[in-house]
Amino acid sequence: MTLYSCCLILLLFTWNTAAYGPNQRAQKKGDIILGGLFPIHFGVAAKDQDLKSRPESVECIRYNFRGFRWLQAMIFAIEEINSSPTLLPNMTLGYRIFDTCNTVSKALEATLSFVAQNKIDSLNLDEFCNCSEHIPSTIAVVGATGSGISTAVANLLGLFYIPQVSYASSSRLLSNKNQFKSFLRTIPNDEHQATAMADIIEYFRWNWVGTIAADDDYGRPGIEKFREEAEERDICIDFSELISQYSDEEEIQQVVEVIQNSTARVIVVFSSGPDLEPLIKEIVRRNITGKIWLASEAWASSSLIAMPEFFRVIGSTIGFALKAGQIPGFREFLQKVHPKKSTNNGFAKEFWEETFNCYLPDGSKNSPASTSFHKGHEEGLGTGNGTAAFRPPCTGDENITSVETPYMDYTHLRISYNVYLAVYSIAHALQDIYTCTPGKGLFTNGSCADIKKVEAWQVLKHLRHLNFTNNMGEQVDFDEFGDLVGNYSIINWHLSPEDGSVVFEEVGHYNVYAKKGERLFINENKILWSGFSKEVPFSNCSRDCLPGTRKGIIEGEPTCCFECVDCPDGEYSDETDASACDKCPEDYWSNENHTSCIPKQIEFLSWTEPFGIALTLFAVLGIFLTSFVLGVFTKFRNTPIVKATNRELSYLLLFSLLCCFSSSLFFIGEPQNWTCRLRQPAFGISFVLCISCILVKTNRVLLVFEAKIPTSLHRKWWGLNLQFLLVFLCTFVQIVICVIWLYTAPPSSYRNHELEDEIIFITCHEGSLMALGFLIGYTCLLAAICFFFAFKSRKLPENFNEAKFITFSMLIFFIVWISFIPAYASTYGKFVSAVEVIAILAASFGLLACIFFNKVYIILFKPSRNTIEEVRCSTAAHAFKVAARATLRRSNVSRKRSNSLGGSTGSTPSSSISSKSNHEDPFPLPASAERQRQQQRGCKQKVSFGSGTVTLSLSFEEPQKNAMANRNAKRRNSLEAQNSDDSLMRHRALLPLQ
């Protein structure tokens, strides 16, 4: 079995060596061999293998100048290490470098060469095999470039624990140490790059993008991570397509159609240059412009895409580039390359031919006949387009600095520096083995590896624990996933004004070490969109929603596609693209544009508004008129009219009206707690005091007139003290109601936000509507009783209680307060106070006008009627009316009784009353003359009944004539006392009360 395995490995190694001849590798012997995998070509020629003969190795095409420069970086680093007196002294590093042709198959062919040699050494087959030349094992491999290629290589190398240090494979899948045990890299993980892409899109406020990814282990994981980051930032993806350099034309056409029809202007691309090139060429052919390309580091600086003829289509590219490093002496080393001097570099000959578009006629395998296959250009620059028939021979004296190719572009060494760093990482791991002290090693019991017999797995162990400082002073150590954390530069493609070439302008950076939110920095002033514009392009599904609006969902569309909906009243948004409107604070309301909140309008019945001024003026007018009436009554307090109206009660009544008018002022102005607690009790007590005065006054006269004979007991009973006591008792009930109200549920100032959204009504919260109902109800109850007595006493002499006017004033009072109830219940805000003020003023004016204005008019303008004779005349007239009514009533009764006994005629009682039945005075006097005669001689009243008219006459002369008149009257008018007129005596007895 062992012999069989040996033969199989030797067969594989022999076949692999045959496939890679001397001109297809760079090789140098040494004590320790490092392997290298570089894309010297971009691809392989398509060839149909019909298997009619032995399959041949496919030919690599399209020379990659950058790939050759990366190879040179590895050789430079090895030679620098070999010449170092401190790093691996007395040890020589060799190398075996192969071309992967940017394909997995070629990379695996080269990897088999590494694995086969290591396996032969591990089998120790010297006793079985006669090997003339011993080739040392490859203890580490530098490479490969693409993540897809590195994945395949890592799977194979991992079986034998051969360390692989990649300089350009950034797929996050390669961080899986369970699958890729021996993989390490000097390039950051794509996970940070995908996050950085999402951060850039968020920075420019884009939310509508398309994605394109290479259909390999680099593009798919990278774009998947980007989708995760985009979803967290509410970035929507319009389309997502996969591409490959081997996609047929129809597939490319479909992808281009999607890009052309999409409304998304930003396109995120995770791909390498070779995979993206066919797509870009088709887009250029169709002249699809106006797109913004967000490039991953694999193609952001690729000269295969960054060509002047493509710039009109992809001139708005923003991409990521690795942090550039410095390699002292590397520029001079690149310039020293020559086919005759670079004997260990089998790729130098082809490089020379492709650089100068000539051929070296040495009859080698890569003769002019074979150079016809080496067409194309690395990353868009520097390939021969002709064959041997069109290329002139090379002289060997060509100047490498006279030709511009990516090979000599050493201004920004990114991948080249990663290669340099990878070689030094392996060298420092070997240095750790070389300087290891027994007992302090990394292996069992602290043992150390033998540098002269070192194996690949031992190097891998030291690489995992590596920690050194590079030539730029930075610490280099691989994390648990074999990754180095690094930063990115952000570049923007510009067109050089000098030679028209594409240059990469650094416009920012991304620091993965910074905390979230501070990692991205972009200098917008350096960015040129489409090569000339400074205005940031728009790439959103919907236009930005301006402040004052919010985003509304459109059914069936992604969340990034929305409509702008105005914020409702009371809500605002002060930023663009607000997801929701914010509610204004309680005392604020949104402005007209809903962009901010402004203080709500505060409303109450103000002193300064026209309505408040008008009510105040009416209240002041009422106070003035009441004060005027009080002044008139005070000045004319000894006149008969004032005395006849119960002077003391009138004063109290006027004082209560002053309180009524004044209480209305508490309802005007901004409600405070103290005014709210004072205004209703002030109004209620004032009106109850007023109604109580009217009630007591009216009821007193009514009871006296209806009493049989006014005695001293009546006089005492209806004295002033008792009248005031009754007023106090009636008012005290209202006071008790108010005290209970203020104690149990006191009114307070209240800011009402519910009536109107944009207005705060400052009102009084009454505390208890039931208490308010009791207050008004009790007032109305007293008013109803007063109205009853006033109506009942409407026929009494008008100088006593003005029954008609009091009745009318009570009617006004009832109308006002009955109307007040529905008006109070249906109004809100400041109009509640206004309604109550109007009711108070109307009721107060009604009482004042009806009760006092007539008397003031007589006092001021009719003084002739303000006499004792006028008062007594009206009182006596009322007495005679009552007496006559009683006499006629008895006469009618007697007549009816006589008629029932025999039809005899009853006699009429004789008195000073003369009766004229059914006829008038044949010579009546004019009204003015009659009034004058009555004033001179007395008074005469006519009382009409159903059976006739009775004329009553009383004379009030001067004192000296009164006695004679009275004697004549006695003689003339001897009344029958037995038919006595109780009413007459009653009213005569009442005269001294006046």
Side-chain angles (χ1 to χ4, degrees):
M1 180 65 183
T2 302
L3 184 60
Y4 173 77
S5 299
C6 177
C7 294
L8 178 60
I9 293 173
L10 286 173
L11 177 63
L12 291 172
F13 180 72
T14 304
W15 175 76
N16 189 269
T17 303
Y20 280 84
N23 290 333
Q24 291 179 302
R25 71 177 71 182
Q27 181 173 304
K28 183 179 181 180
K29 293 182 180 181
D31 300 323
I32 298 174
I33 301 298
L34 303 183
L37 297 174
F38 294 92
I40 309 302
H41 296 85
F42 279 112
V44 295
K47 188 175 182 180
D48 184 17
Q49 301 287 357
D50 57 6
L51 301 180
K52 292 182 179 180
S53 58
R54 180 184 295 274
E56 297 180 0
S57 179
V58 292
E59 191 70 31
C60 297
I61 59 173
R62 301 173 63 201
Y63 195 79
N64 184 356
F65 286 96
R66 292 180 71 200
F68 184 71
R69 188 180 73 216
W70 300 338
L71 178 147
Q72 288 286 79
M74 180 176 177
I75 296 176
F76 174 78
I78 291 174
E79 291 185 0
E80 192 175 64
I81 293 169
N82 288 337
S83 62
S84 173
T86 58
L87 191 58
L88 294 177
N90 303 320
M91 297 290 297
T92 302
L93 295 181
Y95 52 83
R96 296 174 66 202
I97 303 173
F98 295 96
D99 180 13
T100 63
C101 298
N102 205 37
T103 59
V104 173
S105 60
K106 285 294 184 181
L108 288 178
E109 288 181 16
T111 306
L112 282 174
S113 174
F114 303 142
V115 172
Q117 184 60 47
N118 284 24
K119 194 60 181 176
I120 291 173
D121 288 349
S122 65
L123 291 175
N124 194 16
L125 298 177
D126 291 342
E127 56 181 302
F128 301 102
C129 304
N130 183 16
C131 300
S132 58
E133 292 188 9
H134 174 71
I135 302 176
S137 300
T138 303
I139 54 93
V141 176
V142 177
T145 307
S147 296
I149 298 173
S150 288
T151 300
V153 172
N155 281 323
L156 184 55
L157 293 178
L159 295 175
F160 304 97
Y161 291 92
I162 300 174
Q164 174 188 359
V165 184
S166 175
Y167 50 85
S169 299
S170 56
S171 172
R172 62 186 182 131
L173 296 180
L174 292 167
S175 296
N176 186 351
K177 295 298 111 178
N178 293 325
Q179 184 176 358
F180 308 106
K181 301 178 180 63
S182 62
F183 181 82
L184 303 97
R185 52 187 165 190
T186 57
I187 186 172
N189 190 326
D190 272 342
E191 186 167 351
H192 299 296
Q193 185 177 189
T195 304
M197 285 182 166
D199 286 344
I200 286 180
I201 293 174
E202 185 178 32
Y203 176 86
F204 288 111
R205 303 181 64 85
W206 297 325
N207 64 11
W208 190 237
V209 301
T211 62
I212 296 174
D215 191 10
D216 56 20
D217 289 339
Y218 170 73
R220 289 192 300 269
I223 213 67
E224 181 182 352
K225 175 63 178 176
F226 171 78
R227 286 198 198 98
E228 295 173 2
E229 296 291 334
E231 186 176 354
E232 292 180 3
R233 294 165 173 79
D234 293 330
I235 299 171
C236 298
I237 298 176
D238 184 27
F239 63 87
S240 186
E241 299 292 333
L242 296 175
I243 59 173
S244 171
Q245 62 176 320
Y246 302 111
S247 299
D248 57 34
E249 187 176 350
E250 183 179 352
E251 293 174 340
I252 296 297
Q253 294 283 351
Q254 290 177 354
V255 175
V256 173
E257 287 287 341
V258 171
I259 295 173
Q260 189 170 15
N261 296 329
S262 173
T263 57
R265 295 188 63 186
V266 175
I267 302 175
V268 180
V269 182
F270 256 96
S271 174
S272 63
D275 288 326
L276 183 62
E277 183 188 24
L279 179 67
I280 295 299
K281 286 183 175 179
E282 180 61 24
I283 291 175
V284 171
R285 190 185 69 83
R286 295 196 183 191
N287 195 28
I288 302 174
T289 59
K291 302 294 183 182
I292 300 104
W293 299 84
L294 194 55
S296 64
E297 50 81 25
W299 73 275
S301 57
S302 172
S303 54
L304 188 64
I305 308 298
M307 299 178 64
E309 53 266 34
F310 295 166
F311 190 82
R312 72 176 188 276
V313 170
I314 57 175
S316 295
T317 298
I318 291 182
F320 291 87
L322 301 174
K323 184 178 180 181
Q326 300 295 328
I327 307 177
F330 186 51
R331 175 181 180 182
E332 292 76 13
F333 179 80
L334 292 177
Q335 294 175 355
K336 291 179 181 179
V337 65
H338 196 278
K340 294 181 180 179
K341 297 178 182 180
S342 304
T343 56
N344 296 320
N345 192 344
F347 300 104
K349 179 177 180 295
E350 185 179 0
F351 164 75
W352 198 266
E353 293 175 339
E354 293 296 333
T355 300
F356 298 105
N357 197 22
C358 61
Y359 70 93
L360 294 171
D362 57 356
S364 63
K365 185 173 182 179
N366 283 343
S367 62
S370 65
T371 57
S372 60
F373 293 101
H374 301 289
K375 303 189 285 187
H377 51 284
E378 189 274 329
E379 300 188 16
L381 293 176
T383 64
N385 296 324
T387 62
F390 300 100
R391 282 186 174 180
C394 300
T395 63
D397 297 328
E398 291 84 0
N399 185 3
I400 193 69
T401 60
S402 64
V403 181
E404 291 188 4
T405 62
Y407 172 76
M408 292 301 296
D409 184 10
Y410 44 79
T411 54
H412 296 92
L413 299 177
R414 295 185 173 92
I415 300 298
S416 298
Y417 184 77
N418 285 354
V419 174
Y420 181 81
L421 191 60
V423 175
Y424 265 88
S425 298
I426 299 171
H428 277 280
L430 292 172
Q431 178 70 11
D432 291 342
I433 295 174
Y434 181 78
T435 59
C436 179
T437 302
K440 297 182 180 180
L442 299 178
F443 305 101
T444 306
N445 299 323
S447 60
C448 298
D450 186 359
I451 190 62
K452 295 181 180 180
K453 296 181 180 180
V454 67
E455 297 184 34
W457 64 272
Q458 294 172 326
V459 178
L460 178 61
K461 178 69 173 178
H462 277 271
L463 279 171
R464 290 178 178 176
H465 293 81
L466 184 66
N467 191 342
F468 74 98
T469 303
N470 62 14
N471 67 323
M472 296 181 65
E474 299 172 344
Q475 286 296 120
V476 178
D477 59 328
F478 297 100
D479 61 17
E480 57 182 327
F481 304 108
D483 299 335
L484 287 182
V485 179
N487 299 325
Y488 292 99
S489 296
I490 301 174
I491 59 175
N492 180 223
W493 290 13
H494 291 185
L495 203 60
S496 173
E498 299 175 358
D499 56 5
S501 62
V502 178
V503 294
F504 310 118
E505 180 72 22
E506 186 170 337
V507 296
H509 61 264
Y510 187 83
N511 185 3
V512 298
Y513 297 100
K515 62 181 180 181
K516 191 174 182 180
E518 299 180 359
R519 297 173 181 173
L520 179 66
F521 169 77
I522 293 180
N523 187 351
E524 292 189 50
N525 294 327
K526 290 185 177 182
I527 299 178
L528 292 179
W529 305 100
S530 299
F532 61 88
S533 176
K534 288 286 187 179
E535 183 180 358
V536 178
F538 179 82
S539 183
N540 297 65
C541 184
S542 301
R543 285 287 175 182
D544 293 343
C545 288
L546 299 176
T549 62
R550 64 170 179 85
K551 294 188 290 186
I553 298 175
I554 301 177
E555 188 176 356
E557 295 291 336
T559 56
C560 298
C561 301
F562 50 82
E563 58 182 352
C564 296
V565 181
D566 291 335
C567 290
D569 292 337
E571 297 183 9
Y572 75 101
S573 66
D574 56 359
E575 57 183 12
T576 58
D577 280 346
S579 300
C581 298
D582 298 322
K583 285 189 175 181
C584 291
E586 186 178 21
D587 292 343
Y588 289 80
W589 192 250
S590 56
N591 61 1
E592 185 178 356
N593 297 325
H594 299 278
T595 56
S596 62
C597 291
I598 57 177
K600 287 184 178 180
Q601 180 182 349
I602 296 178
E603 279 202 4
F604 53 86
L605 189 57
S606 173
W607 298 99
T608 58
E609 64 176 291
F611 198 24
I613 294 174
L615 293 177
T616 302
L617 290 177
F618 276 108
V620 172
L621 177 63
I623 294 172
F624 172 76
L625 292 177
T626 306
S627 301
F628 176 75
V629 171
L630 182 59
V632 170
F633 267 55
T634 302
K635 183 176 181 180
F636 297 93
R637 59 184 176 277
N638 295 319
T639 60
I641 287 291
V642 176
K643 288 183 177 180
T645 57
N646 198 332
R647 180 172 51 194
E648 289 75 11
L649 278 180
S650 295
Y651 292 159
L652 186 59
L653 177 59
L654 287 170
F655 171 74
S656 65
L657 285 175
L658 280 174
C659 294
C660 291
F661 283 114
S662 300
S663 67
S664 65
L665 298 177
F666 289 112
F667 292 82
I668 304 174
E670 182 176 355
Q672 306 290 336
N673 286 335
W674 69 272
T675 57
C676 291
R677 292 185 175 97
L678 185 61
R679 65 182 193 174
Q680 296 292 5
F683 142 71
I685 294 172
S686 300
F687 266 95
V688 165
L689 179 61
C690 179
I691 301 300
S692 299
C693 291
I694 298 173
L695 175 62
V696 170
K697 179 179 176 182
T698 306
N699 191 38
R700 168 182 172 276
V701 176
L702 180 65
L703 290 178
V704 169
F705 270 98
E706 289 186 350
K708 295 294 184 178
I709 296 294
T711 63
S712 61
L713 180 63
H714 288 96
R715 297 169 182 269
K716 183 179 180 180
W717 180 253
W718 290 108
L720 286 176
N721 292 335
L722 183 59
Q723 295 176 43
F724 285 120
L725 177 62
L726 289 177
V727 171
F728 170 76
L729 290 177
C730 293
T731 308
F732 181 73
V733 175
Q734 186 78 306
I735 293 174
V736 171
I737 293 174
C738 294
V739 170
I740 295 174
W741 181 10
L742 294 176
Y743 180 77
T744 57
S748 60
S749 177
Y750 171 65
R751 299 171 73 90
N752 195 328
H753 300 267
E754 299 175 358
L755 297 177
E756 291 190 20
D757 294 327
E758 69 276 13
I759 299 176
I760 299 176
F761 291 99
I762 302 181
T763 59
C764 285
H765 186 274
E766 303 299 349
S768 172
L769 290 178
M770 181 180 294
L772 180 62
F774 275 117
L775 184 141
I776 297 178
Y778 178 69
T779 306
C780 291
L781 176 64
L782 290 181
I785 296 173
C786 185
F787 174 76
F788 171 75
F789 285 130
F791 181 78
K792 190 174 181 181
S793 62
R794 66 190 182 279
K795 294 182 180 181
L796 294 180
E798 62 178 14
N799 289 318
F800 280 92
N801 61 352
E802 309 81 33
K804 290 184 294 184
F805 297 107
I806 292 178
T807 303
F808 186 66
S809 67
M810 290 299 103
L811 285 176
I812 294 176
F813 186 87
F814 278 118
I815 292 172
V816 168
W817 290 107
I818 290 174
S819 302
F820 165 77
I821 295 174
Y824 184 88
S826 60
T827 55
Y828 60 89
K830 65 181 181 181
F831 299 106
V832 174
S833 298
V835 166
E836 193 161 356
V837 171
I838 292 173
I840 292 173
L841 293 178
S844 301
F845 274 114
L847 294 173
L848 179 64
C850 293
I851 296 175
F852 291 102
F853 280 5
N854 183 52
K855 294 178 176 57
V856 172
Y857 175 76
I858 293 175
I859 292 173
L860 297 179
F861 302 105
K862 299 290 183 180
S864 60
R865 296 179 57 185
N866 189 11
T867 60
I868 187 65
E869 293 80 3
E870 188 75 18
V871 174
R872 287 180 177 177
C873 180
S874 62
T875 303
H878 178 76
F880 281 117
K881 288 179 184 178
V882 174
R885 189 182 297 111
T887 301
L888 291 176
R889 187 184 304 114
R890 289 187 179 88
S891 176
N892 291 334
V893 171
S894 299
R895 188 182 300 110
K896 290 179 181 179
R897 187 177 301 166
S898 299
N899 290 335
S900 63
L901 293 177
S904 62
T905 303
S907 62
T908 302
S910 63
S911 65
S912 61
I913 304 173
S914 62
S915 176
K916 294 181 180 180
S917 179
N918 296 326
H919 66 274
E920 300 291 339
D921 188 354
F923 302 101
L925 293 176
S928 59
E930 179 66 20
R931 185 177 303 168
Q932 183 176 4
R933 189 180 68 177
Q934 288 183 7
Q935 290 177 354
Q936 295 174 355
R937 300 178 57 187
C939 61
K940 180 181 291 185
Q941 299 288 340
K942 291 184 179 181
V943 182
S944 297
F945 299 100
S947 59
T949 301
V950 178
T951 301
L952 307 176
S953 63
L954 286 174
S955 176
F956 301 99
E957 303 293 343
E958 295 181 356
Q960 58 269 26
K961 298 180 181 179
N962 284 343
M964 184 179 295
N966 288 336
R967 285 194 298 269
N968 294 333
K970 288 180 181 179
R971 286 193 296 267
R972 239 180 2 254
N973 304 316
S974 51
L975 299 173
E976 294 183 350
Q978 61 274 18
N979 296 330
S980 110
D981 212 346
D982 292 340
S983 296
L984 179 61
M985 296 301 296
R986 184 164 55 244
H987 290 289
R988 284 178 178 174
L990 191 63
L991 288 177
L993 293 176
Q994 312 306 320

